[in-house]
Amino acid sequence: MPRQNLVVIMSDEHDPRVMGCAGHPVAQTPHLDALAARGTRFTQAYTPSPICVPARAAFATGLRVHQTRHWDNAMPYTGAPRGWGHVLQRHRVRVESIGKLHYRSDEDPAGFDHEHIPMHVVGGHGMVWASIRDPYVSSPNGKRMLGDRIGGGESHYTSYDRSVTERSVNGCRQRRSSRSSLSCSMSAWWHRTSP
């Protein structure tokens, strides 16, 4: 069997209908459209949790939230239960990530051989103040998580996304001829499916 690459793109808060390949009348997404034309687009997929960290743990493991026991953003994934990255590693497939994971720490055995510019939960424990707790704990210092305003313009998130994009593009170019594995996470993962 020839070596093949698999690219999974999980973009945060991106409505899947807002792409040219989905027939959106205004959105122009030529790169996503080209990937969709050469691959598989899951049009009926949905998240097992509307909360970031539990959804990412479920995606990493292929299990439902009640099976992973990651209930909220204060309980980040640590590599347990083991997930698809661990399976690939067991088959000697190198798996790398670039960008946002929102796991606990890059030192946890989360199924990646290397994590490039990872974004993990703050302090390894995530948003305890936003969890359902008794008594309720409000956000530290009463500050808004996303800043004073929401809307167009520059933020540390847009700057980070540009860094992830640049690293991902460079990583793909470097690995094009070697067929080595790469995982991109803006939220995208890429890995070789056969050794």
Side-chain angles (χ1 to χ4, degrees):
M1 180 174 161
R3 293 179 180 176
Q4 296 185 3
N5 294 314
L6 173 66
V7 177
V8 177
I9 299 175
M10 257 184 10
S11 55
D12 281 0
E13 301 179 32
H14 177 190
D15 186 325
R17 298 169 296 185
V18 184
M19 295 187 293
C21 61
H24 194 275
V26 177
Q28 296 179 9
T29 55
H31 300 294
L32 291 175
D33 299 347
L35 284 171
R38 295 189 320 253
T40 302
R41 198 166 61 90
F42 295 95
T43 58
Q44 300 299 316
Y46 63 94
T47 182
S49 174
I51 304 171
C52 177
V53 172
R56 288 173 179 276
F59 181 80
T61 62
L63 300 173
R64 295 176 185 213
V65 173
H66 73 278
Q67 294 169 304
T68 68
R69 311 215 34 96
H70 294 88
W71 300 111
D72 56 35
N73 283 343
M75 302 174 77
Y77 183 62
T78 63
R82 295 172 69 75
W84 59 266
H86 299 103
V87 172
L88 292 171
Q89 288 175 323
R90 190 170 58 240
H91 290 281
R92 295 189 208 141
V93 175
R94 185 165 175 81
V95 183
E96 298 184 31
S97 73
I98 301 175
K100 181 179 180 181
L101 291 171
H102 266 189
Y103 294 172
R104 184 177 65 179
S105 167
D106 57 358
E107 295 176 11
D108 289 330
F112 296 107
D113 295 292
H114 187 75
E115 296 175 8
H116 302 269
I117 55 175
M119 179 189 291
H120 290 295
V121 298
V122 176
H125 52 74
M127 293 174 46
V128 176
W129 62 88
S131 302
I132 299 171
R133 299 282 189 251
D134 187 17
Y136 178 76
V137 179
S138 63
S139 64
N141 305 323
K143 292 183 178 180
R144 291 173 47 113
M145 188 172 96
L146 296 177
D148 295 331
R149 69 174 184 81
I150 296 176
E154 185 63 24
S155 73
H156 66 278
Y157 285 111
T158 56
S159 176
Y160 178 75
D161 283 349
R162 273 195 299 284
S163 297
V164 170
T165 300
E166 182 179 337
R167 180 74 63 96
S168 299
V169 168
N170 290 338
C172 289
R173 285 183 178 143
Q174 291 169 359
R175 288 161 177 82
R176 184 181 300 163
S177 60
S178 68
R179 308 286 289 177
S180 62
S181 62
L182 177 65
S183 164
C184 309
S185 177
M186 210 169 28
S187 307
W189 287 299
W190 165 324
H191 57 271
R192 190 177 69 204
T193 56
S194 61

